[in-house]
Amino acid sequence: MMKTLATTLCTTLLIGTATLTATTTQAAEFVAADNSPGTVVCMAVTSNKPITLSATLRDVRMSKKVAINKLHCNDMELGKFAGMHGFNKSAKYLNLDTTGKTSIHDLAKTNDSTILVVAGSK
């Protein structure tokens, strides 16, 4: 009886923690400032889906190398932008190292639905 109760309690806590984590990281909404190729690629980075990012790079005819070395999103280097907002899958696809940089990310602050305008370099 106690073993079943403990298992149920642990499972409930794990599901609750996973749900809370999923909702806090998706709180910010990203909106494109314009439809320039740089902004389109920056928006693809915010999708955090490598397939979307790959297709967008192909559509705007931009190589990964050019995106990494030349593109700035919101006046930040692509790696810094991806690391700051937690787009780890996009960063991994672009072979960007976001683990070497330390930053404090306030999860409570991101819980409100913030709209962030994304602009790419021209």
Side-chain angles (χ1 to χ4, degrees):
M1 175 83 174
M2 287 298 284
K3 191 173 185 180
T4 306
L5 180 64
T7 304
T8 305
L9 181 62
C10 287
T11 304
T12 305
L13 286 173
L14 285 173
I15 291 171
T17 303
T19 304
L20 179 63
T21 303
T23 56
T24 55
T25 57
Q26 298 299 323
E29 179 183 347
F30 295 90
V31 178
D34 55 29
N35 59 355
S36 67
T39 301
V40 171
V41 174
C42 289
M43 287 302 294
V45 170
T46 66
S47 74
N48 206 26
K49 297 177 183 173
I51 292 172
T52 302
L53 181 55
S54 172
T56 302
L57 286 170
R58 185 181 62 245
D59 289 346
V60 299
R61 295 184 175 143
M62 184 183 296
S63 68
K64 285 169 62 170
K65 184 177 179 179
V66 169
I68 294 165
N69 294 328
K70 305 273 182 175
L71 183 64
H72 286 76
C73 299
N74 288 357
D75 295 325
M76 290 183 266
E77 292 179 357
L78 198 55
K80 185 176 180 181
F81 179 76
M84 175 184 246
H85 296 291
F87 303 127
N88 299 328
K89 292 177 184 176
S90 292
K92 184 177 178 181
Y93 171 75
L94 294 170
N95 297 322
L96 298 172
D97 182 25
T98 58
T99 58
K101 300 172 182 114
T102 304
S103 66
I104 297 173
H105 187 70
D106 188 3
L107 291 177
K109 184 178 179 187
T110 0
N111 199 11
D112 61 348
S113 48
T114 305
I115 296 175
L116 299 172
V117 177
V118 178
S121 56
K122 305 210 183 225

